[in-house]
Amino acid sequence: MSRFRVRAAFLVAVALVAGVTTVAVAPNASATGGTSTSVSTSPNPSVVGQNVTINVRVEASVIPAPVGVVTIFDGLSPLGIAVLVPQFDGGFCSCLPTAHSDASLSTSTLGGGSHLISAQFFGDPLGNLPSTGFTTHTVNNIPTATTVTAVPNPSVFGQSVTLGAAVATVPSGLRAISGSVQFKVDGNNVGGPVPVDGSGNASTSVSNLNVGGHTVTADFVSSDSALLNSSGTLPGGQTVTKANTTTSLGSNANPSVYGQSVTLTATVSPVAPGGGTPTGTVTFQDGATTLGTAPVIAGGAQLAVSTLAVGGHSLSAGYSGDGNFNASSGTLTQTVTKAPTTTSVSSSANPSVFGQPVSFTVTVCAAPPSTAPAQRPTGSVSVTIDGAATPFATLPLSPTGPSGCAQATTATINTLSVGPPAHSVSAAYAGDANFVSSTGSLAGGQLVNKAPTTTTLTFVPPVPTVNQAVTFTAVVTPQFANPTGPTGTVSFYIDGSATPAATVPLVGTTATFVTTFGGGNHTVVAVYNGDGNYLSSTSAPVMPNVPCDQTITGNHSALTLTTPGTVCVLNANISGGISAGKGVVLDIENSTVSGSISANSPAGMRICGSTTGTIVVTKSTEFVLIGDPANNCGANTVAGSILATNNTHGLVIVGNTVSGTVTASGNSGAGPLAAYPAPIVLGNHH
């Protein structure tokens, strides 16, 4: 080593030891030589948010050691600048540095994933040349742990249980928790995800757990990309035991009369904190005699009893319990008394409908205190309708009906008019040697309502084409055949519109409607509007589907259509114009076309409910329809003119708003509907 080089190295070392930031180099001192830079990180791997130290060492091929700074990058993004510090661990003499220097930089901003960390040494005034070092650093997401609790545990059936989840980082405190928890019982979701609070806690409640053991889990889903998801399970699970019950017994008639049907009602209720609805059975007893068993439905059980003898009865109801509830019982003292008689009238159908055959049954029973004696009433009853001077029928009683009763049933009648008012129906029992006479009437009278109808709808052809006439036939059928059949009108609704496309009179039982469609799927419903004797009815929707060779929806630029076939522009937004060539059937429905529409020798055109520029159609070989609100084609708004020339198979331009002129010349032929016998241009306005 030359004297000048040693002298320079010594001055550099002295400056560094003294903490001087400016390096003085002796004249002509030169340490020119290559360097190598190495990079390491600690800890590696780390987790998101953890402080990471980046260590850099720059090795020189000759003494003195490199000085200055290194720039540290994360990929292409600079992380910062670190000052190189020469290392005094041996070399030319114990006071001079070796030919390497170290630098370090700490950061906690590295996101999750793999990072290419580099350090760039750009050389120094001592002649040490630039070099770059690289290392790969991995940042992992932070693990979490989810702890599950349940309060109370154990619980009883129907009791509300609060499920809790506590989510924390592992180790705890590394980062605030954000996200949601999905609670599950036995693998089934309990409600939806519950957001965690600022402490990482979430809770929900559940009260429909069956008796037994249940597995309770909580799945944490992080909304922070730095946190990992986790799941927890309730230790030991949730235990649910049976709930206690109380049973009360009631009667619908107490005291009752001999032979009277008494409905005994047992009400089974859970004892708090239990909840829910008990099931199972209730056994009803009269002392030691079993009267019957009934199922518990909606917390109650009923049993009808008509065999109780006159006197006092100690009745009991014993609830059996079920898988979720414990057994219980209740008691009642029922008193049965005597008394003498009644006549009642019932209808085979009340209310009935127009034309429906109706008969009336007269039931004569022993009234309190003897409603079910061993002998039934005998003799005859007379039935009168609407107070007529002459009875509708006089009939002998038959030993039928409930115990202690006799009955008579009239022939049917189907000529009663539609009400209100209801028709009064009364019966008079003449009496016999054992029973006194009595009268009764049909409660509320016989009400005759309008008769239901059924409307069916069919159409032909089964697969129509664009602008082809489609015939819909609605058939209205009454529930009961009657010489006075349905009258009135049928309305036809298209594609869910609240306004009917047409309302036509019913001829016999049939109404017919003819219209045309654009391409795509459609629905048509027929509604019979009813009359004085018959209710309205609605058909099931029928779905005429008009096929398209090409369907255009959404946003598009200008369209040029040259391939023959049906092109349907449905609910689209065309930023330019549309040009259609020979053989193209152009169907534009409920769309916006900012440019002009031009069709030369098309095989037909249909423009309905759209906003367009100028429309030009010439030499169409099939029907051309540009707006007709009365016939299933909404009016168009045209920013320009409409020009239709030399079209040979019918033309309709009706009801449009046109900023320019409407010109139609040289057109001929009829359209597909009877309303289109020749070219029609009318009702268009500015």
Side-chain angles (χ1 to χ4, degrees):
M1 179 179 296
S2 71
R3 179 185 308 170
F4 292 112
R5 182 167 297 180
V6 172
R7 175 66 174 175
F10 178 79
L11 290 176
V12 170
V14 171
L16 290 173
V17 171
V20 179
T21 57
T22 301
V23 178
V25 181
N28 299 322
S30 175
T32 300
T35 64
S36 63
T37 297
S38 60
V39 184
S40 64
T41 58
S42 177
N44 189 9
S46 61
V47 297
V48 172
Q50 186 175 7
N51 194 62
V52 176
T53 300
I54 303 171
N55 298 304
V56 181
R57 172 163 289 188
V58 181
E59 298 271 1
S61 59
V62 295
I63 295 175
V67 296
V69 297
V70 291
T71 302
I72 300 174
F73 295 85
D74 176 8
L76 299 178
S77 300
L79 290 177
I81 296 174
V83 177
L84 286 169
V85 178
Q87 299 303 303
F88 292 85
D89 57 354
F92 181 76
C93 69
S94 61
C95 63
L96 292 179
T98 55
H100 68 270
S101 297
D102 293 340
S104 66
L105 176 70
S106 295
T107 181
S108 61
T109 62
L110 297 179
S114 179
H115 298 263
L116 180 63
I117 305 299
S118 62
Q120 176 71 59
F121 173 60
F122 293 98
D124 63 12
L126 302 180
N128 289 301
L129 298 178
S131 62
T132 302
F134 300 89
T135 191
T136 299
H137 183 83
T138 299
V139 180
N140 294 326
N141 290 333
I142 302 172
T144 63
T146 299
T147 303
V148 184
T149 59
V151 178
N153 189 11
S155 60
V156 297
F157 179 77
Q159 184 175 8
S160 180
V161 177
T162 299
L163 306 180
V167 183
T169 61
V170 180
S172 63
L174 291 181
R175 192 178 184 91
I177 301 297
S178 63
S180 61
V181 171
Q182 178 64 65
F183 291 93
K184 294 182 179 181
V185 175
D186 298 329
N188 299 313
N189 288 347
V190 177
V194 180
V196 298
D197 62 16
S199 300
N201 297 319
S203 66
T204 191
S205 62
V206 60
S207 59
N208 60 349
L209 298 180
N210 291 328
V211 170
H214 299 272
T215 300
V216 179
T217 59
D219 296 333
F220 169 64
V221 177
S222 173
S223 61
D224 183 346
S225 60
L227 296 177
L228 295 176
N229 299 338
S230 61
S231 296
T233 300
L234 178 65
Q238 176 71 26
T239 299
V240 181
T241 61
K242 290 185 179 183
N244 291 328
T245 62
T246 59
T247 297
S248 60
L249 179 60
S251 167
N252 72 326
N254 193 9
S256 60
V257 299
Y258 173 70
Q260 180 180 1
S261 179
V262 177
T263 300
L264 303 177
T265 300
T267 302
V268 183
S269 303
V271 176
T277 303
T279 61
T281 60
V282 170
T283 299
F284 297 87
Q285 289 185 295
D286 179 5
T289 301
T290 298
L291 299 176
T293 300
V296 177
I297 300 174
Q302 292 186 331
L303 181 70
V305 180
S306 60
T307 59
L308 296 178
V310 172
H313 298 265
S314 296
L315 305 182
S316 63
Y319 170 55
S320 64
D322 63 12
N324 296 317
F325 294 95
N326 291 317
S328 59
S329 63
T331 60
L332 169 72
T333 298
Q334 176 74 27
T335 301
V336 181
T337 63
K338 297 179 179 180
T341 106
T342 66
T343 294
S344 61
V345 181
S346 63
S347 168
S348 61
N350 192 19
S352 59
V353 298
F354 180 71
Q356 182 178 4
V358 178
S359 63
F360 302 103
T361 298
V362 180
T363 302
V364 180
C365 297
S370 180
T371 58
Q375 184 178 352
R376 297 171 183 261
T378 61
S380 64
V381 291
S382 296
V383 178
T384 302
I385 298 176
D386 291 334
T390 302
F392 169 65
T394 299
L395 307 166
L397 287 171
S398 298
T400 58
S403 176
C405 298
Q407 292 181 324
T409 300
T410 69
T412 60
I413 181 173
N414 68 347
T415 58
L416 297 176
S417 59
V418 171
H423 298 273
S424 64
V425 181
S426 60
Y429 170 52
D432 66 8
N434 296 313
F435 295 95
V436 299
S437 64
S438 59
T439 61
S441 62
L442 179 63
Q446 178 67 36
L447 179 62
V448 180
N449 292 327
K450 293 182 180 182
T453 59
T454 301
T455 299
T456 57
L457 182 61
T458 58
F459 67 94
V460 291
V463 183
T465 58
V466 170
N467 279 340
Q468 184 178 9
V470 182
T471 301
F472 293 89
T473 301
V475 177
V476 180
T477 304
Q479 182 179 12
F480 297 98
N482 193 289
T484 304
T487 61
T489 60
V490 175
S491 296
F492 295 85
Y493 295 83
I494 297 176
D495 292 338
S497 172
T499 302
T503 298
V504 299
L506 197 62
V507 178
T509 60
T510 302
T512 301
F513 167 56
V514 183
T515 189
T516 64
F517 291 94
N521 300 327
H522 302 274
T523 59
V524 180
V525 174
V527 177
Y528 168 55
N529 297 307
D531 63 9
N533 293 320
Y534 293 97
L535 295 171
S536 64
S537 57
T538 301
S539 73
V542 296
M543 299 182 180
N545 298 325
V546 180
C548 302
D549 296 314
Q550 181 180 0
T551 300
I552 297 172
T553 60
N555 298 318
H556 295 271
S557 56
L559 301 175
T560 299
L561 310 173
T562 59
T563 302
T566 300
V567 179
C568 300
V569 181
L570 308 179
N571 301 295
N573 186 1
I574 309 303
S575 61
I578 298 177
S579 174
K582 183 177 182 180
V584 174
V585 177
L586 179 58
D587 175 24
I588 302 175
E589 306 280 342
N590 304 311
S591 297
T592 298
V593 181
S594 61
S596 62
I597 299 173
S598 175
N600 187 1
S601 301
M605 174 183 279
R606 180 184 177 96
I607 304 177
C608 301
S610 297
T611 300
T612 75
T614 291
I615 300 173
V616 178
V617 55
T618 182
K619 297 181 181 180
S620 176
T621 59
E622 294 295 339
F623 182 56
V624 174
L625 177 62
I626 305 175
D628 187 4
N631 285 294
N632 194 33
C633 181
N636 302 288
T637 300
V638 181
S641 300
I642 299 177
L643 175 61
T645 59
N646 302 320
N647 300 290
T648 61
H649 276 68
L651 170 75
V652 172
I653 306 175
V654 174
N656 301 287
T657 300
V658 185
S659 64
T661 60
V662 178
T663 303
S665 63
N667 301 292
S668 61
L673 304 182
Y676 304 149
I680 300 172
V681 180
L682 57 85
N684 303 289
H685 56 87
H686 293 288

